[in-house]
Amino acid sequence: MVIKDAPEEWRVTATTTPFRGNKTSVRTDQVVMPDGSVVARDYQVHPGSVAILALDDAGKVLVLRQYRHPVRQKLWEIPAGLLDVPGENPLHAAQRELYEEAHVKAEDWRVLTDVYTTPGGCDEAVRVFLARDLSSAEGERFEVSEEEADMELARVEPAELVRGVLAGELHNNCLAVGVLALTAALAGDGVDALRSAEAPWPARPFES
């Protein structure tokens, strides 16, 4: 038995979009079940995201603290952002987000993991990159606004982040998945065995 996700699409008899937002929307599909019945499934339609676990030469992870209104908390996170342009190369988006949020660039990029954040209610797919060989970006810092204007930056040992995740002190999905995946990679074949930064991503196809 091979434990591997596989594409499959059940028949949809009708679709409506009861809500359209600035970046996402809500869709209602009438889906035919295996027994022939038809049920409504509501879900958020999302453009997709990238996240960056940036590891510096001292082996510390670049994290930022940002207010997230839906959960009424300031969360420690790794840099991340939306795939704003359909078909956008996720590596290019990740490089942009690392520059905008941390004013940092990286020379070595690899795919750490690909995940669906909440597949029961949202089609958001996230590609989490590992970025190494960090240095300060050239030029002026990107001008941030709204919640991002209040961000804090820090560099933290991966082991401390893992401890926080397991202790229930750190809750951001991409941070948790990223640092646990990094820990597994380091304990396994090493980060040099990770996929190329341009590895195919069926969830969000792109052109190099």
Side-chain angles (χ1 to χ4, degrees):
M1 184 177 183
V2 177
I3 306 299
K4 182 179 179 180
D5 296 339
E8 182 165 318
E9 188 167 352
W10 292 3
R11 188 164 68 91
V12 174
T13 61
T15 296
T16 59
T17 306
F19 171 78
R20 293 184 186 275
N22 185 33
K23 297 292 186 181
T24 67
S25 60
V26 173
R27 181 176 295 163
T28 301
D29 287 346
Q30 303 296 326
V31 186
V32 180
M33 297 290 109
D35 65 359
S37 61
V38 178
V39 300
R41 290 289 178 259
D42 303 319
Y43 58 100
Q44 182 184 20
V45 178
H46 194 284
S49 306
V50 291
I52 307 97
L53 194 144
L55 193 66
D56 68 16
D57 291 342
K60 294 184 177 182
V61 177
L62 191 157
V63 292
L64 50 90
R65 191 171 183 234
Q66 184 173 347
Y67 176 66
R68 294 301 188 183
H69 186 71
V71 295
R72 288 1 182 232
Q73 289 193 20
K74 271 193 169 181
L75 301 181
W76 284 104
E77 308 178 351
I78 57 177
L82 297 176
L83 290 168
D84 293 312
V85 181
E88 182 178 18
N89 186 310
L91 174 59
H92 299 166
Q95 291 168 333
R96 179 188 68 238
E97 293 299 332
L98 187 60
Y99 159 71
E100 290 182 357
E101 295 193 346
H103 200 63
V104 166
K105 63 180 181 179
E107 298 301 324
D108 186 278
W109 291 82
R110 296 172 191 273
V111 174
L112 194 51
T113 189
D114 299 322
V115 294
Y116 292 112
T117 54
T118 49
C122 179
D123 70 353
E124 181 183 13
V126 181
R127 169 156 281 190
V128 184
F129 288 92
L130 174 66
R132 295 184 296 168
D133 295 340
L134 308 182
S135 61
S136 297
E138 293 91 356
E140 296 183 4
R141 295 188 67 94
F142 180 78
E143 186 175 343
V144 296
S145 61
E146 300 172 351
E147 289 92 341
E148 292 184 350
D150 191 47
M151 285 195 308
E152 305 168 49
L153 291 171
R155 299 192 182 208
V156 183
E157 296 283 352
E160 176 61 17
L161 296 175
V162 170
R163 185 207 63 77
V165 170
L166 298 181
E169 299 170 356
L170 299 172
H171 305 90
N172 177 262
N173 181 289
C174 292
L175 184 150
V177 169
V179 74
L180 293 174
L182 172 67
T183 301
L186 292 172
D189 295 331
V191 295
D192 290 334
L194 292 170
R195 286 174 291 159
S196 159
E198 296 278 5
W201 190 16
R204 292 294 184 273
F206 63 93
E207 294 183 5
S208 298

